[in-house]
Amino acid sequence: MSSTPETHPRVVIVGAGIVGCSLADELTSRGWTDVTVLEQGPLPAPGGSTSHAPGLVFQTSPSKTLTAFARYTVEKFNSLQVDGVSCFNQIGGLELATTPERLADLHRKAGYAASWGVRGGIVSAARCKELWPLIDESTVLGGFHTPDDGLARAVLASRAQMARAVERGARFLDRHTVTGIEQEDGRVTAVVTDRGSFPADHVVSAAGFWGPVIGRMAGVEVPLQPLAHQYAKTKQLPELAGAETEASKPILRFQDRDLYFREHHDRIGIGSYAHKPLPVDPFAILPYDEARANDMEMPSSFPFTEEDWAPSWDDCRDLMPALGETEIEEGFNGVFSFTPDGMPVLGESRKLRGFWLAEAVWVTHSAGVAKAVAEWMVDGRASIDLHECDLTRFEEAQRSPSYIRERGSQQFVEVYDVLHPLQPMEHPRPLRVSPFYARQQELGAHFLEGGGWERPHWYEANAPLVDALDPLPERDAWSARYWSPIAAAEAKATREKVALYDMTPLRRLEVTGPGALGFLQRMTTNNLRKKPGAVTYTLLLDETGGVRSDLTVARLAPDRFQVGANSPTDLDWLLRHAPEDVHVKDITSGTCCIGVWGPLARDLVQPLTRDDFSHEGFGYFRAKETYLGHVPVTAMRLSYVGELGWELYTSADLGLRLWDTLWEAGEEHGVIAAGRSAFNSLRLEKGYRAWGVDMTDEHNPYEAGVGFAVRMDKDGFVGQEALQGLATAEPARRLTPLLLDDPASVVLGKEPVFVDGAPAGYVTSASYGYTLGRCVAYAWLPTLASGTGVHIEYFGEKVAATVADEPLFDPKMTRIRR
């Protein structure tokens, strides 16, 4: 009897680097033992990035997911040995600051560590000198010390995991070059090599910088750009003479000069990101034997470029004067992978079922990624949120080869940069613009970027309105970046008059067909079985009850729905599950949307239409297809700012006419254009969640505060069984609203929250609430009573905050429902 995916799945992993070996170990430990790992080079060091990786593992990242990957990698490699040698050397990590800006960044990084559960803290320049005696501490302002970081011995870890996987039944075949991926009826069936074909129910591309090559064979895009990175080793240093261990001092980062350091017994290894990006064509990288024949040590090891190294060598000797007495003995330009956003690319292709990606993964995150992908394959989901890494996350406009190359190269440049959470990419821009872009420019819009879209955050045309505001608290330099007091004026105008918001980047899907209602009923939590004209807030869950996304669904006709979604992943999820009698289409690019919100919204809109826009004639969470002036619109009475108003949708070609129609009609009412900065403030005052920030599939609806969107009495929906009993149970944690006690204090998000002096959670979203006169922060915390005092750590300072009741603004919803 042949094997089937339902009994003993046949898995072929392409690539026996650290990711492929880790994945084979994780899969076989879960009972999937029919695993074949194919590698074109020799084992155990086949010549990819793993074979040359210096092995530095710094766990702390602004990304909670990357930090979780790294923590598991440290935990696992610490438990592995080969011939009595540990696969991890836990010597700690040290990051130096030589500028005030970097020291502030290290304080923020210490906050991330506390938020995500990594041991670490800020230390003095003197302590940095104790940890690394070779540095000249006169230029050092302080450091961030993480005692549990260290060096991963990547090749040893590969060997250890390979041996464990083989004991469970896996096989590793080196010198097998993959030449094709076979498929039938949209599903992978085999991997073809120069030494035979291997039947497969699942194929995982863990080929590293060769990922795009394997992907092309499968007809699957892999948005990955390989780049070369300089690494050098000094000659022997007298100061390190007699070293008995490979390394005893913490791995060291000198990020102000884009450098890192580690010991190699009595020499020092140095890596540099200071040079210009050196992109490499993955289709031109030589196979192992050809690379060796061309005097290369391995395919991933390119010749060292001295001219790129010279400035960094000067910086090295300034930091460590002892290096002035030595020279670089050897060096190479090592190739590894970058993506447009710097995150891994993980998941199963919808176009070719059974074909998985585990790409753009560094040694730092390797075991954690392997665990997550193995869980995903075996159990249907990972135990941690992976939306930042999902292969479907990129917009179509972000998938061109030129975009991947340009943004991947920029990610290399920014590896050690101090990056603000709102900092937009600089190129290529503008890429995606709404039909209102010309008008926004005329009004002096300050654009930031998201998903390729130009998004106005405030408008200079509203600067005169600031004079009428009560004085705002002075902001620190960090929170003042990508912010303007104009946002406060725009929020006030929305609360008192009426404002136009460009909501075009909000993703819009059209779901049609005879089975559309039944399909959406199965996929979402709320009851959509309502008459046309109804709009419903609902959730997409996974089988464990985790919140995959939140949606607004408008039933425009018996078999036609418009869905407001969050990301390309939502579209992919619905397409994976849609039956043949349902058609799901992304209509975002062909449409546009203006939010008209404020107490005078009805005064603006009603004269433009013959339809009744009164509260009685057009109730909250209702939709109408109508005309405003000459423009056909789909109007939905929704509000994400807590004020009366509508979302008005039309086709992209009529968008500019819609804007002008509303603008002209609104002039007598004092209409303004308002941006995302005001929007975020207003939505937090109302407690409206942002999926992917405030809640993910790690959270269930009740602890996330969106249990009202769940109808447990509805016929079966995805995740329903997992929610049984949760509605009446006290959750161990909640998404909790906090008000900062000091009206002058501001936090931005991801800061740790302390309860009774100990870190207990972290901030998700935060913004100054201009109506409330306090900063609002939402945080994941243990269930706490309203009025409980907590502290948020902001740049090393403890800021007092208090648990509040929500919604913080207009709890009776009188402003929306009028």
Side-chain angles (χ1 to χ4, degrees):
M1 179 178 174
S2 64
S3 176
T4 68
E6 291 74 25
T7 54
H8 300 287
R10 300 165 299 184
V11 180
V12 174
I13 299 171
V14 180
I18 189 64
V19 178
C21 292
S22 297
L23 181 57
D25 182 41
E26 295 289 337
L27 284 172
T28 55
S29 72
R30 288 166 172 78
W32 281 24
T33 55
D34 190 349
V35 175
T36 300
V37 184
L38 302 175
E39 174 54 59
Q40 67 172 349
L43 292 174
S49 300
T50 300
S51 303
H52 73 246
L56 283 73
V57 177
F58 287 92
Q59 297 173 82
T60 307
S61 165
S63 166
K64 180 174 178 285
T65 298
L66 287 186
T67 303
F69 288 158
R71 287 181 62 191
Y72 182 76
T73 300
V74 168
E75 176 187 332
K76 184 174 187 181
F77 289 1
N78 245 333
S79 70
L80 299 176
Q81 290 188 350
V82 175
D83 299 330
V85 178
S86 173
C87 293
F88 193 77
N89 186 2
Q90 200 159 39
I91 51 178
L94 178 64
E95 303 182 41
L96 302 177
T98 59
T99 65
E101 293 77 14
R102 181 66 63 181
L103 185 60
D105 187 59
L106 294 186
H107 275 287
R108 187 167 50 257
K109 187 168 286 186
Y112 295 146
S115 290
W116 315 144
V118 176
R119 285 203 306 154
I122 301 299
V123 296
S124 66
R127 178 58 176 155
C128 293
K129 177 71 171 178
E130 291 177 7
L131 292 167
W132 254 93
L134 294 184
I135 67 170
D136 175 7
E137 80 275 24
S138 65
T139 62
V140 175
L141 303 180
F144 174 48
H145 181 224
T146 46
D148 298 329
D149 290 340
L151 291 169
R153 298 184 172 104
V155 174
L156 276 188
S158 295
R159 286 177 57 192
Q161 293 177 103
M162 188 186 313
R164 296 189 345 167
V166 168
E167 286 180 2
R168 302 185 192 110
R171 56 178 175 167
F172 286 74
L173 304 176
D174 62 1
R175 302 290 187 176
H176 280 66
T177 300
V178 174
T179 58
I181 307 291
E182 293 187 344
Q183 53 186 285
E184 184 177 337
D185 296 328
R187 185 165 192 94
V188 70
T189 58
V191 177
V192 182
T193 76
D194 59 349
R195 299 175 65 179
S197 182
F198 296 85
D201 303 306
H202 297 273
V203 173
V204 185
S205 177
F209 51 70
W210 279 293
V213 179
I214 303 301
R216 180 173 292 183
M217 295 178 191
V220 175
E221 287 181 276
V222 181
L224 174 161
Q225 177 59 56
L227 285 110
H229 160 62
Q230 290 198 306
Y231 191 78
K233 293 180 183 178
T234 67
K235 291 183 175 180
Q236 293 177 333
L237 286 175
E239 292 83 354
L240 300 180
E244 297 181 359
T245 61
E246 174 194 18
S248 59
K249 300 174 185 62
I251 50 176
L252 182 68
R253 276 175 167 170
F254 182 23
Q255 292 166 295
D256 288 323
R257 292 295 183 270
D258 295 306
L259 293 166
Y260 63 81
F261 304 83
R262 57 153 294 182
E263 297 166 283
H264 291 276
H265 294 284
D266 55 1
R267 300 190 295 168
I268 293 180
I270 308 166
S272 172
Y273 293 100
H275 56 85
K276 66 180 182 294
L278 301 170
V280 176
D281 181 358
F283 294 90
I285 299 175
L286 298 176
Y288 187 91
D289 291 328
E290 288 186 38
R292 299 282 288 182
N294 282 270
D295 297 323
M296 296 170 62
E297 183 178 344
M298 62 185 80
S300 62
S301 179
F302 280 41
F304 193 64
T305 48
E306 296 281 356
E307 66 278 9
D308 293 316
W309 177 255
S312 290
W313 186 228
D314 291 338
D315 292 331
C316 293
R317 290 181 289 187
D318 287 342
L319 179 68
M320 298 186 190
L323 297 181
E325 304 302 318
T326 189
E327 297 175 353
I328 294 300
E329 186 171 61
E330 60 180 298
F332 65 96
N333 290 1
V335 181
F336 63 142
S337 303
F338 287 81
T339 59
D341 60 2
M343 299 294 289
V345 181
L346 313 177
E348 182 190 21
S349 169
R350 177 174 50 82
K351 296 179 180 178
L352 181 58
R353 302 302 295 270
F355 184 80
W356 295 75
L357 297 180
E359 296 290 7
V361 182
W362 295 5
V363 170
T364 300
H365 311 114
S366 55
V369 164
K371 177 187 177 187
V373 173
E375 291 173 336
W376 201 347
M377 295 175 70
V378 175
D379 303 327
R381 74 180 298 273
S383 57
I384 64 171
D385 168 47
L386 298 181
H387 83 273
E388 293 178 308
C389 310
D390 197 297
L391 63 88
T392 65
R393 69 188 182 271
F394 294 110
E395 303 284 347
E396 191 66 30
Q398 297 172 311
R399 292 180 169 274
S400 69
S402 58
Y403 185 95
I404 293 167
R405 179 185 176 95
E406 185 170 352
R407 293 306 308 159
S409 297
Q410 187 61 24
Q411 287 295 328
F412 177 92
V413 171
E414 295 175 352
V415 163
Y416 283 169
D417 285 0
V418 176
L419 298 176
H420 193 277
L422 292 176
Q423 185 169 331
M425 67 180 189
E426 296 181 4
H427 304 285
R429 289 180 64 192
L431 185 61
R432 307 174 78 187
V433 298
S434 79
F436 325 127
Y437 185 63
R439 297 293 183 264
Q440 293 165 343
Q441 288 180 303
E442 292 167 3
L443 293 169
H446 184 91
F447 293 100
L448 299 183
E449 180 272 341
W453 288 101
E454 295 298 315
R455 300 186 178 198
H457 273 241
W458 65 84
Y459 293 85
E460 289 297 329
N462 297 323
L465 300 179
V466 175
D467 296 335
L469 297 175
D470 292 332
L472 293 169
E474 185 175 345
R475 289 206 170 201
D476 65 276
W478 186 250
S479 66
R481 291 184 68 184
Y482 306 105
W483 174 85
S484 168
I486 295 172
E490 293 176 358
K492 186 173 188 289
T494 307
R495 292 278 189 239
E496 296 181 354
K497 294 183 179 180
V498 61
L500 305 185
Y501 288 82
D502 181 1
M503 303 300 291
T504 300
L506 177 71
R507 181 167 304 279
R508 291 170 292 287
L509 310 177
E510 184 179 67
V511 181
T512 57
L517 174 61
F519 168 63
L520 289 173
Q521 283 283 80
R522 289 194 306 278
M523 297 303 297
T524 71
T525 59
N526 214 332
N527 182 23
L528 307 181
R529 197 175 296 279
K530 303 172 183 177
K531 293 179 180 179
V535 182
T536 307
Y537 177 80
T538 188
L539 309 172
L540 290 177
L541 305 182
D542 62 25
E543 292 289 353
T544 69
V547 181
R548 283 190 58 94
S549 189
D550 61 343
L551 312 174
T552 53
V553 180
R555 190 176 192 184
L556 302 179
D559 59 355
R560 180 165 62 91
F561 296 81
Q562 182 171 310
V563 178
N566 284 297
S567 74
T569 304
D570 294 343
L571 172 64
D572 183 82
W573 178 255
L574 293 174
L575 287 171
R576 285 174 186 267
H577 292 87
E580 291 184 2
D581 63 348
V582 174
H583 182 63
V584 182
K585 179 182 179 183
D586 190 331
I587 60 171
T588 309
S589 61
T591 56
C592 59
C593 178
I594 299 174
V596 182
W597 290 311
L600 301 182
R602 185 175 287 116
D603 300 81
L604 189 160
V605 175
Q606 182 63 81
L608 299 173
T609 179
R610 293 181 178 179
D611 280 303
D612 184 0
F613 271 57
S614 69
H615 181 62
E616 295 72 23
F618 197 156
Y620 192 52
F621 267 82
R622 298 293 298 173
K624 283 187 179 181
E625 293 182 293
T626 184
Y627 287 86
L628 295 183
H630 299 287
V631 182
V633 300
T634 299
M636 298 186 196
R637 192 168 166 200
L638 307 174
S639 176
Y640 287 96
V641 300
E643 296 293 336
L644 171 69
W646 289 264
E647 291 178 358
L648 303 173
Y649 298 89
T650 192
S651 56
D653 60 322
L654 289 167
L656 190 58
R657 185 60 180 264
L658 176 61
W659 179 281
D660 289 345
T661 298
L662 294 169
W663 190 262
E664 182 179 345
E667 285 184 317
E668 64 177 290
H669 303 294
V671 70
I672 67 162
R676 298 287 297 183
S677 187
F679 176 91
N680 199 47
S681 170
L682 296 169
R683 71 105 181 159
L684 279 172
E685 289 184 330
K686 285 297 294 180
Y688 293 143
R689 277 58 169 153
W691 185 86
V693 180
D694 298 317
M695 58 186 181
T696 68
D697 63 6
E698 290 185 0
H699 312 110
N700 72 55
Y702 302 106
E703 58 191 7
V706 289
F708 63 87
V710 178
R711 295 290 178 268
M712 289 297 290
D713 57 351
K714 190 176 78 165
D715 289 342
F717 60 83
V718 174
Q720 185 176 26
E721 185 176 345
L723 299 185
Q724 294 292 339
L726 295 183
T728 56
E730 181 72 18
R733 60 178 180 177
R734 288 185 186 272
L735 184 61
T736 305
L738 304 174
L739 277 176
L740 273 62
D741 293 353
D742 183 352
S745 295
V746 174
V747 297
L748 299 182
K750 299 188 178 181
E751 297 90 355
V753 182
F754 291 75
V755 178
D756 296 330
Y762 58 91
V763 174
T764 58
S765 296
S767 179
Y768 201 83
Y770 302 110
T771 317
L772 302 173
R774 298 285 177 88
C775 183
V776 179
Y778 271 77
W780 279 103
L781 291 170
T783 297
L784 300 172
S786 178
T788 302
V790 301
H791 288 87
I792 303 173
E793 185 176 286
Y794 183 69
F795 288 95
E797 300 293 328
K798 297 294 196 304
V799 179
T802 301
V803 175
D805 291 318
E806 61 176 343
L808 304 170
F809 175 77
D810 187 27
K812 295 184 178 180
M813 305 286 281
T814 57
R815 299 175 71 91
I816 292 176
R817 303 177 188 273
R818 59 179 169 183

